[in-house]
Structures are given as structure tokens and as C-alpha cells.
Amino acid sequence: MNFELTEEQLLIRDAARDFAQTELKPGVIERDEKQQFPADQVKKLGELGFLGMMTDPAYNGAGLDTVSYVLVMEELSKIDASTSVVVSVNNSLVCYGLEKFGSEEQKEKYLKPLAAGTQIGAFCLSEPEAGSDATSQKTIAEDKGDYYLLNGTKNWITNGSNAAVYLVIAQTHPNLGHRGINAFIVEKDSPGFTIGPKENKLGIRGSDTHSLQFSDVKVPKENRIGADGFGFKFAMKTLEGGRIGIAAQALGIASGAYELALKYAKERTTFGKPIAEHQAIQFKLADMYTQIEAARLLCLKAAWLKDQHQPYAEAAAVAKLFASDTAMRITVEAVQIHGGYGFVKEYHVERLMRDAKITQIYEGTSEIQRMVIARSILKEGF
């Protein structure tokens, strides 16, 4: 594996870093406090091609590799994870799912505006009783011949109120269990589709997380993704790539907190010298740096495997598990290094600490990642 980034990858990383500093950082604290969706910033990201990074140019995408996507996610997440999660969902789940498994008609109608960034999408799997247990779908899609009748509730949906297109997982044949699940494309203005109140969250507060209700929503037959019963496989395959994006988001949160802690340690003085000269702080910084470097390599490995069309499910789970746990550890230490200032909003690290927690929860909790990894290594042997 070549550890040297290409010139194109470096340019993309630098462009994302510049965008984060000039467009995301101003107002990020206010957006967090007011739970304000970064609409202007998301629009600009779409114009720059960051919302369809890995999508084929034939469908208005940028046609970039997954390594570039990881680099962009890290840079955006250093500053504003509420914005980077929009990029993650639109790229890893919605655009990828449609391009990989959608029909040509679905790609023309739905993927093109999503990849161009003129619309954003949402991925609707979780339910009140079916979060980590994706097989227990209570949302029902009843086959009515030339359409499906959709009824049920989805929880914790990112882009819940700002999306134009929703990929909804629902049960059509309960007697078949997970083999009876389907995936559907639902448009926002569909009669019977309502959006619940915005969740008041601990972190990523600028992201619009909502519950969704479907009451006798008619979904045309042509809006089913794949063959009848393909929905569970669609969800699992799509989430594999999604874990790379969330791992990169966690990496970015950790990296952003570390950079702030390093800067503060060089500037803050105690007992007549910068606290960076105290061995206790040096040890903290050394451990933080080491853990971030390890997380970055795991993220890049998973991305590289995906780009090489090699199996990457295990690597994605490993990266997501380690990077999300690293994000929590690093952000807590960053607050500790800042002391009392770390508890104050204007220093950013308390927000990064709050944002870090969600990376251990969504796209499959840390416990789910351990299950995925354990099944893989037990299957392959020791």
C-alpha cells in the first residue's frame, strides 16, 4: 500500500480544509446553540462537488475515490460535524445506494440532483424498536399491485426535514423475516408523509434529526430498489460504506480537538512556562497523536480496500470502532488540557466532545462493530 497521497488528493484535502476554516468555522458555535441547519454551507458544498464525491460523472458526480472522501470528511469534521454528517449521509448512503443498486430510471430521476448537490437525501432504517436490530422492521409496505402502501415510523433520521428524497426500509412479507424487507424511494411531498419535531440533541445539534411518519403513503412500484426482498441486503451493503464515512468523521473530530489542545498547550503558561513543557501534558499529547495516527491509517486502509474493489466490511467496522472510541478519548483529554476554559463554548473543545459521542452510536453502535469484527475473525479462524 502506498502511503503517499496523490497530487489530486492533496488538492481536494486542502480545498476541504480551506472551506472548513472560511465557511464552517464562522458561526459554528451559534449554529450549535440554536440547532440551526447549515443550509448555506451545504449548498456551497454541493456547488463544489462534495455531495456527490464518489458518484460517476455520468450522474453529475465528481468521480473521486474513497480515500479523497475520507480526507474531506476529516477536514470538515475538525470544525463542524453537523455539516460533515450531511456530506456523509448524502455520499455514503444515499448516492452510493442509488448508484450501486438503483435502476437506470432511478439514477436519472433521483441520483443526478443528489450527486449535483441541488438536493440532499436521507437514509431511513432506524425505528423505535428497530435500531441496531435492523431485521425487526415494523414499517410495513403492503403490495397493492402497481404500488406499495407504506405505514410506519422512522426514528433518528439525519437530514429529516431538509431532504428531498428518502430511502426507506420497510417490511413487505413478515413471514419471510429479513428476506421480506424492501427498500423504497419516497419523495418529500408524498401525501401521508409527515415529519416530526426536530430532536433536541447532545451533539451535532446543527444536523436536523427527525422522526418520520408514513400513513398510507403510496409508493410507485418503480420506486422499489432492486428485486422483491432485496431491502435488508441493500441496507447492510450500504451501511458498510457508511461506516467509512463515520470513521472519518470521528477521526476529524479527534484531530480537531487535538490541534486545539496542542495550540493551547503551547500558549498557556503555568509556573513560568508553557504547559506543553510539563511532562504530564507532553504524555497526554503524545498519546493523543499516536491514537489519531492509528485511526487515520485504519480509515485510509478501509477506503483503499473499497477503491481496489476488495472486501472491506471488516476493515470498515474496525476503522469505525477504533476511530469513534478514539474521538471520545481525545476530546475528553482536550477538554482536560484546556482546564476550565475547556468547559467554555468559545474554545470549541466542549462541542467536539459532545459531537464525538454520536460516532459511537450511529451507523451501528460500537457493540455492533465488535459483533461484525468477531464474526469475521471467527469465520476466518486464527
Side-chain angles (χ1 to χ4, degrees), residues 6 25 36 42 46 87 164 214 270 320 377:
T6 67
K25 191 171 183 179
Q36 180 182 338
V42 169
V87 176
F214 303 91
T270 60
K320 199 269 185 184
I377 60 178

Short mmCIF file of all heavy atoms in Angstrom, two decimals, residues 6 25 36 42 46 87 164 214 270 320 377:
data_model
loop_
_atom_site.label_atom_id
_atom_site.label_comp_id
_atom_site.label_asym_id
_atom_site.label_seq_id
_atom_site.Cartn_x
_atom_site.Cartn_y
_atom_site.Cartn_z
N THR A 6 -1.81 11.31 -3.61
CA THR A 6 -1.58 11.87 -4.93
C THR A 6 -1.76 13.39 -4.90
O THR A 6 -2.32 13.94 -3.95
CB THR A 6 -2.57 11.28 -5.95
OG1 THR A 6 -3.90 11.72 -5.63
CG2 THR A 6 -2.51 9.77 -5.95
N LYS A 25 -16.26 27.46 10.08
CA LYS A 25 -15.87 27.93 11.42
C LYS A 25 -16.62 29.18 11.86
O LYS A 25 -17.12 29.23 13.00
CB LYS A 25 -14.36 28.17 11.48
CG LYS A 25 -13.85 28.39 12.90
CD LYS A 25 -12.33 28.41 12.93
CE LYS A 25 -11.81 28.56 14.36
NZ LYS A 25 -10.33 28.55 14.40
N GLN A 36 -29.24 25.17 14.42
CA GLN A 36 -29.52 25.72 13.10
C GLN A 36 -28.87 24.88 12.00
O GLN A 36 -27.66 24.68 11.99
CB GLN A 36 -29.01 27.16 13.03
CG GLN A 36 -29.22 27.86 11.70
CD GLN A 36 -28.65 29.26 11.70
OE1 GLN A 36 -28.44 29.86 12.76
NE2 GLN A 36 -28.36 29.79 10.52
N VAL A 42 -24.15 23.90 3.20
CA VAL A 42 -24.44 22.68 2.46
C VAL A 42 -24.62 22.98 0.97
O VAL A 42 -24.15 22.25 0.10
CB VAL A 42 -25.68 21.97 3.03
CG1 VAL A 42 -26.15 20.84 2.12
CG2 VAL A 42 -25.37 21.42 4.42
N GLY A 46 -22.38 21.51 -2.13
CA GLY A 46 -22.92 20.90 -3.34
C GLY A 46 -22.34 21.52 -4.59
O GLY A 46 -22.00 20.81 -5.55
N VAL A 87 -22.76 15.56 4.53
CA VAL A 87 -21.90 15.07 3.46
C VAL A 87 -21.80 13.56 3.50
O VAL A 87 -21.87 12.88 2.47
CB VAL A 87 -20.50 15.71 3.57
CG1 VAL A 87 -19.55 15.15 2.51
CG2 VAL A 87 -20.59 17.23 3.45
N ALA A 164 -34.94 15.92 0.12
CA ALA A 164 -35.98 15.87 -0.91
C ALA A 164 -36.33 14.44 -1.25
O ALA A 164 -37.42 14.15 -1.73
CB ALA A 164 -35.51 16.60 -2.17
N PHE A 214 -45.27 7.65 8.25
CA PHE A 214 -45.86 7.28 6.96
C PHE A 214 -47.26 6.72 7.22
O PHE A 214 -47.41 5.72 7.92
CB PHE A 214 -44.98 6.24 6.26
CG PHE A 214 -43.56 6.68 6.05
CD1 PHE A 214 -42.59 6.41 7.02
CD2 PHE A 214 -43.19 7.37 4.92
CE1 PHE A 214 -41.29 6.81 6.85
CE2 PHE A 214 -41.88 7.78 4.73
CZ PHE A 214 -40.93 7.51 5.69
N THR A 270 1.99 28.06 33.04
CA THR A 270 1.85 27.85 34.48
C THR A 270 3.25 27.68 35.06
O THR A 270 4.13 27.11 34.41
CB THR A 270 1.02 26.59 34.82
OG1 THR A 270 1.66 25.44 34.26
CG2 THR A 270 -0.40 26.71 34.30
N LYS A 320 -14.29 2.14 12.07
CA LYS A 320 -15.37 2.85 12.74
C LYS A 320 -15.29 2.66 14.25
O LYS A 320 -15.46 3.59 15.03
CB LYS A 320 -16.72 2.37 12.19
CG LYS A 320 -17.89 3.32 12.46
CD LYS A 320 -18.59 3.01 13.75
CE LYS A 320 -19.81 3.87 13.96
NZ LYS A 320 -20.47 3.65 15.26
N ILE A 377 -13.56 -12.58 12.17
CA ILE A 377 -12.33 -13.28 12.57
C ILE A 377 -12.60 -14.72 12.99
O ILE A 377 -11.76 -15.61 12.79
CB ILE A 377 -11.59 -12.50 13.68
CG1 ILE A 377 -12.46 -12.37 14.94
CG2 ILE A 377 -11.12 -11.14 13.19
CD1 ILE A 377 -11.75 -11.65 16.09
#
